[in-house]
Amino acid sequence: MFHGFQFVKMSSRKSKSNNLIHAEYLSQVQRILRERFCHQSPHSNLFGVQVQYKHLIELLKRTAIHGESNSVLIIGPRGSGKTMLINHALKELMEVEEVSENVLQVHLNGLLQINDKIALKEITRQLNLENVVGDKVFGSFAENLSFLLEALKRGDRSSSCPVIFILDEFDLFAHHKNQTLLYNLFDISQSAQTPLAVIGLTCRLCLTEDRSVREVLQKHFNVSKNLRSLHMLLMLALNRVTTSHPFVTAADLMEANQLCSMDSKANIVHGLSVLEICLIIAMKHLNDIYEEEPFNFQMVYNEFQKFVQRKAHSVYNFEKPVVMKAFEHLQQLELIRPMERTSVNTQREYQLMKLLLDNTQIMNALQKYPNCPTDVRQWATSSLSWL
Amino acid sequence: MPHLENVVLCRESQVSILQSLFGERHHFSFPSIFIYGHTASGKTYVTQTLLKTLELPHVFMNCVECFTSRLLLEQILNKLNHLRSSEGGCSTHITCETFNDFVRLFKQITKAESLKDQTVYIVLDKAEYLRDMEANLLPGFLRLQELTDRNVTVLFLSEIVWEKFRPNTGCFEPFVLYFPDYSIGNLQKILSHDHPPEYSADFYAAYINILLGVFYTVCRDLKELRHLAVLNFPKYCEPVVKGEANERDTRKLWRNIEPHLKRAMQTVYLREISSSQWEKVQKDDTDPAQLKGLSAYTHVELPYYSKFILIAAYLASYNPARTDKRFFLKHHGKIKKTSFLKKHEKITSLVTLQLLTLVGHDDQLDGPKYKCTVSLDFIRAIARTVNFDIIKYLYDFL
C-alpha cells in the first residue's frame, strides 16, 4: 500500500517544481520499500504458512480465552518467517476485546537473557511487577516465578490472567544450567496454576549437537535461495535509484547480484604481495607432494628457495626474516592456521600449519592476480624445476 | 560531495555504495553491514570520513580497545548519551553489565529528540575480536535493529572474511561489502599526494617509483609504505641538498638510495631497529652495515661462559625433559647450581639481550624459569665458536 503516491502531469513551465515533487515522491517510495526490506514491518501477507498460522492462532485463543495451558515449538531455518508468523498471530489475538484486557505477553530472547537470573529479572520487568517484588529474596527460582504469577491473580483469587511467553532463540535457553527456566515454565503449565502458553522459536533441527548437519548447512548456505537474500538483492538494486535514475533497470539487478555473490577469500588473495603469493604457491606444492600433511615455515621457505634459485626468476631472494614477516601476515589474515594452539615447546619456524585454501581457489585467484610475473604463474602450474 | 574526493582518494566506488546504502537520514538501512578488506585499504578512514562529513549520528568503537563486552557496551551507551545531549552538561556515567541491559538502555537513549527520526550508526572496528568475546554479542549486534525496534545500523570493519565469523547455528546475514586492495597505480597516486612543498611533485613521484620498485613485491600495506617513504626521503634528497646532483639526475639519485632501501628492508621494515635509530643513522651518515638490531641478532659477542649458559638453555627449552638422561650423564637439562662464576648476573644479562625470556610467574617458589628464544641458526653459530656440536644433542635431529 503506497501512502500518498500521486501521478503528476509533467508541464514544461513548472518543470522545476515538478522535479522537487518528483524527488519527494521518490523519497517516500524509498522510505516505504526500505522499511519493508530492512525493517521487516508486519504488514506483509502470509504466504505458504496458512496452515501453521491457523493452528497457532487456535492454540493461542484456547489459552487466552479458555484458560488452557499450551506449548508450541516453531522450528524453521533462518529467514523462514517464524518471528513474522508469531507477530501476526499475536496482533490478531489482541484485536479480540476480552483478550486485550486480560492477557499478558512476555517476550524473551536467548541472545539477550543469557542465564536464568537475567531472564527472571526481565520477566519481572515485563510483567510490571518490579514494585511488587521490591527487595524480596527468594529461596529458589521456582518460588520466585510462582510469586510473580500469584501476583497476577485477579482480586477475587478465582482465576489468574493468562500469560503468553514467547522464547526466541529457544535452543539457547535449553543450554542454560539445569534448564531451570524451561523446566519451571513447563511445570507451571502442567499444574494448572496459571494458564500459560509457551511459544518457542528456533532454527536448530534438533537440540543436540550434530556436526555433520551443521557442516552441510554451512556449505550450502551460500547457494540456497532464501527470502532474506532476495531482500538483500532487491535492496541493493533499490540503492541505485535516484532522481536522475528513477527506475530499477536490469543492469542494476545484475550489478547487485555481482556484489552479492563475490568470493571473499579470492578477494583477499587478490590483495596479497608477490612474496606472499609465492609462499602460497610453495604451500600448494607441499600439499600436492605430501598429500595435505601439515607443514612448517622452514619447509615452505625451502620450497620457495628452490624456485628463487632457478636461473630465470623475477623474484628477489629475500632474507629469511622478511619471508617470515610475510608468512606471519598470512597467518594474521587466517589463510593459514596452526594445527594446535601455539605450544611453548616449538619455535615459530617449526610450528605445524595448515593452508585454508584449496587448489581451485588458488588457481582461480592467480588468474585474476594483477601483474603476476610469468615465471611465478608457471611455477604455480608445475613444481618441476627442469624448466 | 565534491570535496570528499579530494580527501578520500581512489575510493569513489566504495564511497558511493556506502552513501546509497545509508540513504536519507530518516530512511531505514540494512540492519548490519560487514566491510572487509586488507589492512590499510581505507575501511576505517572512509567510514569515519563519510559519517563525519555527512554529519550522521554515529558511535565509533574499536574492539581491540574495548576487549570485554562490558567495556564495549558501556562505551557505546555513554558515547550515545553524549551525542543526544550535545549541549554540554556532564551526564552521569551509564553502567551496563549484560546485553539485555544494553538493549533496554539503548531503547531509552534513542527516544531522545535529537536521535529519534534518524538512523543511528554503530561502527565496530577490528570486529574479528568480537568472536572472542561473549557468544551472544556478535549475533546480537547483527540483529540490533530488530531487538531494539529502532532505526539503527551496525557496521563491522575487519580484515577477516565473513565466512569465518558466521556462528554455527547461523545468524542474521549482514550485507557484505569488499574494499579492494589498491593497485600499484593507486598506491603511486596516494603516496605522491603527501609530497613536501619544498620539492616538486615530479621529483617526489620519481622517489615513490623507486620505493615501490623495491618494496612492492614484499609489502602492499599503505601504512607501512607511507612510513618507509617518510623515513627515507631525507636520504634521497641528500645529493640534491649537498649539491652533488640536481633533481633530474635520476641515475645518481637511484644509485644513492637503492642500497639504503634494501638495508631498510632488513632492519626498519622488520622492526629490528626503531625508526628514530634509523633516522639517526641517516643523519650521522654511518655505514648501515654497522647497525645493531634490537634483538642483538647478528652482532653480539658474548663472554665464554655466557655462551654455554645459552646453549644449555636452548637444549633445556627444546629437548623434551625425559630425553635428557640420554644425552647427558652427569647433569640434567635444568640449570642447576654449579660453580659458574656470577651465574645470576650472566643470566640477567642474557635476559636483557632478549636471548632468554622469563616464563611463568615471578612468585614461583622453586625459582624463576627461563626459556631460550634464539633461532636454530643463531645457536649453531654460537656453538661453533666454542666448538660444541649442538646438533648431536638435539632431540629433533636424531
Side-chain angles (χ1 to χ4, degrees):
Chain A
M1 260 127 290
F2 290 160
H3 311 282
F5 188 80
Q6 298 169 30
F7 285 100
V8 181
K9 250 190 181 164
M10 297 306 276
S11 152
S12 54
R13 62 189 166 89
K14 284 203 186 146
S15 57
K16 189 171 179 191
S17 64
N18 277 348
N19 257 340
L20 281 172
I21 299 173
H22 201 48
E24 206 183 287
Y25 285 140
L26 257 177
S27 169
Q28 282 215 34
V29 171
Q30 279 253 5
R31 182 181 63 79
I32 293 163
L33 286 178
R34 273 166 182 264
E35 227 175 272
R36 285 196 192 168
F37 291 148
C38 302
H39 199 51
Q40 329 276 329
S41 26
H43 300 300
S44 28
N45 291 324
L46 297 165
F47 289 105
V49 288
Q50 270 88 354
V51 174
Q52 290 91 333
Y53 183 74
K54 271 212 187 95
H55 201 153
L56 184 63
I57 194 95
E58 205 192 292
L59 229 92
L60 286 174
K61 282 192 175 146
R62 287 213 295 247
T63 306
I65 303 174
H66 305 293
E68 188 186 292
S69 285
N70 278 307
S71 54
V72 180
L73 186 62
I74 306 179
I75 308 177
R78 298 232 172 238
S80 52
K82 308 182 287 293
T83 313
M84 186 200 69
L85 184 76
I86 186 69
N87 286 340
H88 226 257
L90 287 172
K91 187 159 159 276
E92 192 186 303
L93 189 70
M94 288 297 155
E95 283 166 5
V96 179
E97 204 179 296
E98 56 177 294
V99 171
S100 60
E101 286 170 16
N102 287 336
V103 169
L104 297 162
Q105 290 180 31
V106 175
H107 291 258
L108 300 177
N109 189 312
L111 287 177
L112 298 176
Q113 290 87 39
I114 48 177
N115 63 43
D116 293 331
K117 191 161 151 224
I118 302 176
L120 203 49
K121 266 206 195 129
E122 187 64 27
I123 296 174
T124 315
R125 207 177 286 134
Q126 289 195 22
L127 293 174
N128 292 322
L129 290 175
E130 281 159 304
N131 292 329
V132 176
V133 167
D135 289 325
K136 277 205 179 55
V137 174
F138 296 97
S140 72
F141 188 97
E143 233 182 83
N144 196 341
L145 190 58
S146 33
F147 178 82
L148 291 176
L149 295 173
E150 266 296 306
L152 296 174
K153 280 210 156 89
R154 296 212 198 118
D156 56 358
R157 305 246 141 219
S158 59
S159 56
S160 175
C161 296
V163 185
I164 302 181
F165 279 88
I166 296 113
L167 278 70
D168 214 335
E169 312 278 352
F170 184 79
D171 47 290
L172 294 176
F173 285 109
H175 282 126
H176 288 181
K177 189 169 169 226
N178 298 335
Q179 303 180 332
T180 320
L181 173 68
L182 294 181
Y183 182 79
N184 279 289
L185 278 179
F186 289 126
D187 195 35
I188 293 179
S189 71
Q190 296 286 338
S191 64
Q193 279 178 23
T194 319
L196 277 193
V198 181
I199 320 263
L201 289 91
T202 180
C203 67
R204 287 244 215 168
L205 295 177
C206 56
L207 298 179
T208 54
E209 298 269 318
D210 192 337
R211 191 163 283 184
S212 53
V213 174
R214 211 197 313 156
E215 271 180 55
V216 169
L217 283 178
Q218 230 168 305
K219 255 193 196 160
H220 290 293
F221 195 88
N222 281 333
V223 181
S224 75
K225 302 281 180 281
N226 58 33
L227 194 63
R228 282 220 183 108
S229 52
L230 181 64
H231 275 174
M232 200 175 281
L233 187 67
L234 294 175
M235 173 70 175
L236 278 177
L238 179 69
N239 279 338
R240 308 179 77 79
V241 170
T242 60
T243 40
S244 50
H245 181 74
F247 296 106
V248 180
T249 61
D252 293 329
L253 261 176
M254 286 187 57
E255 262 239 32
N257 191 31
Q258 258 222 343
L259 273 175
C260 274
S261 53
M262 272 185 162
D263 178 8
S264 40
K265 268 191 186 163
N267 287 337
I268 291 291
V269 175
H270 188 270
L272 295 176
S273 66
V274 174
L275 177 59
E276 288 154 0
I277 292 277
C278 288
L279 292 182
I280 291 192
I281 298 175
M283 291 183 231
K284 169 180 176 286
H285 289 316
L286 287 175
N287 275 341
D288 289 338
I289 299 171
Y290 297 109
E291 287 170 15
E292 314 269 321
E293 284 278 316
F295 49 79
N296 62 30
F297 169 70
Q298 188 64 45
M299 291 165 69
V300 178
Y301 183 70
N302 290 342
E303 194 67 30
F304 175 62
Q305 289 286 83
K306 279 195 233 166
F307 166 65
V308 146
Q309 281 157 7
R310 278 191 234 173
K311 268 177 251 165
H313 63 86
S314 57
V315 180
Y316 180 68
N317 186 1
F318 296 106
E319 307 262 316
K320 203 167 176 185
V322 177
V323 183
M324 185 66 184
K325 184 162 173 171
F327 191 75
E328 287 179 333
H329 186 221
L330 290 177
Q331 192 177 348
Q332 191 190 334
L333 290 171
E334 299 190 8
L335 290 172
I336 57 179
R337 192 192 66 195
M339 289 299 291
E340 49 191 39
R341 297 243 156 231
T342 30
S343 62
V344 189
N345 280 332
T346 40
Q347 294 179 302
R348 291 177 314 170
E349 294 97 324
Y350 303 107
Q351 235 195 355
L352 289 174
M353 303 273 195
K354 206 166 111 93
L355 180 64
L356 298 175
L357 296 166
D358 59 53
N359 283 358
T360 7
Q361 279 177 306
I362 298 173
M363 295 318 284
N364 286 340
L366 269 178
Q367 294 281 15
K368 299 194 199 128
Y369 189 73
N371 306 324
C372 184
T374 349
D375 46 0
V376 171
R377 201 172 269 152
Q378 278 179 342
W379 179 41
T381 47
S382 141
S383 67
L384 296 171
S385 56
W386 46 263
L387 280 164
Chain B
M1 292 282 131
H3 68 276
L4 210 64
E5 272 131 38
N6 297 334
V7 177
V8 180
L9 296 169
C10 306
R11 281 280 170 248
E12 295 83 17
S13 158
Q14 283 69 42
V15 168
S16 79
I17 292 180
L18 274 177
Q19 265 186 291
S20 60
L21 276 176
F22 292 164
E24 292 180 35
R25 292 190 99 85
H26 57 284
H27 281 167
F28 272 98
S29 179
F30 266 129
S32 40
I33 301 176
F34 183 83
I35 301 178
Y36 75 101
H38 277 273
T39 177
S41 53
K43 309 181 288 294
T44 314
Y45 182 62
V46 168
T47 317
Q48 246 178 345
T49 314
L50 194 60
L51 287 171
K52 280 201 189 126
T53 318
L54 295 174
E55 291 181 5
L56 299 169
H58 68 279
V59 168
F60 208 92
M61 305 302 307
N62 188 314
C63 296
V64 175
E65 196 186 306
C66 303
F67 57 94
T68 65
S69 54
R70 186 175 172 158
L71 277 172
L72 185 64
L73 300 175
E74 279 186 9
Q75 283 234 24
I76 295 178
L77 290 172
N78 283 305
K79 283 189 179 176
L80 266 180
N81 213 11
H82 274 288
L83 268 186
R84 75 156 171 183
S85 54
S86 47
E87 295 92 44
C90 190
S91 34
T92 49
H93 180 81
I94 303 178
T95 51
C96 170
E97 289 194 2
T98 62
F99 198 64
N100 196 27
D101 290 334
F102 175 75
V103 167
R104 194 170 44 91
L105 294 165
F106 185 87
K107 285 166 90 155
Q108 277 177 12
I109 295 179
T110 44
K111 270 205 195 129
E113 273 308 309
S114 51
L115 294 176
K116 213 169 42 155
D117 288 316
Q118 2 174 17
T119 318
V120 174
Y121 294 92
I122 298 180
V123 187
L124 300 171
D125 201 357
K126 301 272 189 273
E128 58 264 23
Y129 290 90
L130 276 177
R131 301 177 296 176
D132 304 325
M133 297 190 211
E134 279 180 19
N136 64 333
L137 225 54
L138 178 62
F141 273 118
L142 285 165
R143 14 171 107 233
L144 197 64
Q145 199 184 85
E146 183 191 315
L147 290 173
T148 54
D149 196 24
R150 295 277 186 273
N151 190 352
V152 59
T153 293
V154 183
L155 287 106
F156 300 83
L157 308 179
S158 174
E159 61 172 357
I160 308 287
V161 299
W162 167 247
E163 282 76 22
K164 295 195 188 267
F165 277 74
R166 192 184 284 132
N168 284 332
T169 48
C171 58
F172 186 86
E173 294 281 315
F175 171 65
V176 177
L177 177 60
Y178 171 54
F179 264 51
D181 44 283
Y182 291 114
S183 67
I184 191 166
N186 286 345
L187 281 175
Q188 180 102 19
K189 187 170 171 199
I190 297 174
L191 288 169
S192 310
H193 202 244
D194 32 49
H195 73 92
E198 310 84 71
Y199 294 96
S200 71
D202 288 333
F203 181 65
Y204 197 74
Y207 164 62
I208 293 293
N209 218 351
I210 299 177
L211 182 84
L212 284 175
V214 174
F215 282 99
Y216 187 70
T217 42
V218 168
C219 167
R220 292 170 65 180
D221 183 338
L222 179 61
K223 282 188 204 143
E224 292 242 34
L225 290 171
R226 255 182 141 173
H227 178 65
L228 288 164
V230 166
L231 268 188
N232 293 299
F233 190 56
K235 182 75 181 176
Y236 185 73
C237 299
E238 215 182 56
V240 177
V241 165
K242 282 194 189 158
E244 290 166 9
N246 72 36
E247 288 193 4
R248 304 255 176 84
D249 279 335
T250 39
R251 273 218 76 166
K252 239 193 194 152
L253 293 167
W254 182 79
R255 251 186 305 171
N256 177 46
I257 193 72
E258 208 231 358
H260 189 82
L261 288 177
K262 290 252 162 81
R263 195 72 207 165
M265 196 192 291
Q266 290 157 8
T267 52
V268 124
Y269 174 65
L270 297 174
R271 311 286 188 274
E272 282 284 315
I273 68 169
S274 68
S275 14
S276 54
Q277 269 178 298
W278 183 250
E279 282 176 329
K280 194 160 171 291
V281 159
Q282 288 182 95
K283 244 190 257 167
D284 299 343
D285 210 15
T286 40
D287 180 13
Q290 287 179 11
L291 281 171
K292 282 201 181 155
L294 278 172
S295 53
Y297 200 60
T298 40
H299 298 103
V300 151
E301 193 46 54
L302 290 170
Y304 187 70
Y305 284 123
S306 294
K307 287 187 188 171
F308 277 103
I309 293 186
L310 192 62
I311 293 173
Y314 187 85
L315 291 172
S317 300
Y318 296 111
N319 273 347
R322 56 189 163 81
T323 59
D324 291 328
K325 268 208 192 127
R326 187 184 177 153
F327 293 116
F328 309 109
L329 295 169
K330 287 204 178 139
H331 56 90
H332 28 113
K334 293 203 185 89
I335 301 172
K336 273 201 115 184
K337 270 204 173 91
T338 60
S339 57
F340 280 157
L341 304 161
K342 299 184 207 157
K343 181 194 69 166
H344 183 69
E345 261 178 46
K346 292 192 192 284
I347 292 185
T348 324
S349 51
L350 285 176
V351 172
T352 319
L353 287 171
Q354 295 191 350
L355 300 171
L356 294 182
T357 48
L358 196 62
V359 176
H361 294 295
D362 293 319
D363 50 323
Q364 257 174 350
L365 289 173
D366 50 355
K369 290 213 165 78
Y370 297 93
K371 185 178 140 83
C372 187
T373 55
V374 301
S375 69
L376 182 63
D377 296 329
F378 186 68
I379 201 71
R380 275 167 95 174
I382 297 264
R384 231 174 284 142
T385 66
V386 291
N387 256 335
F388 180 75
D389 186 5
I390 193 168
I391 295 295
K392 266 209 302 218
Y393 292 88
L394 281 173
Y395 180 70
D396 289 320
F397 285 87
L398 283 178

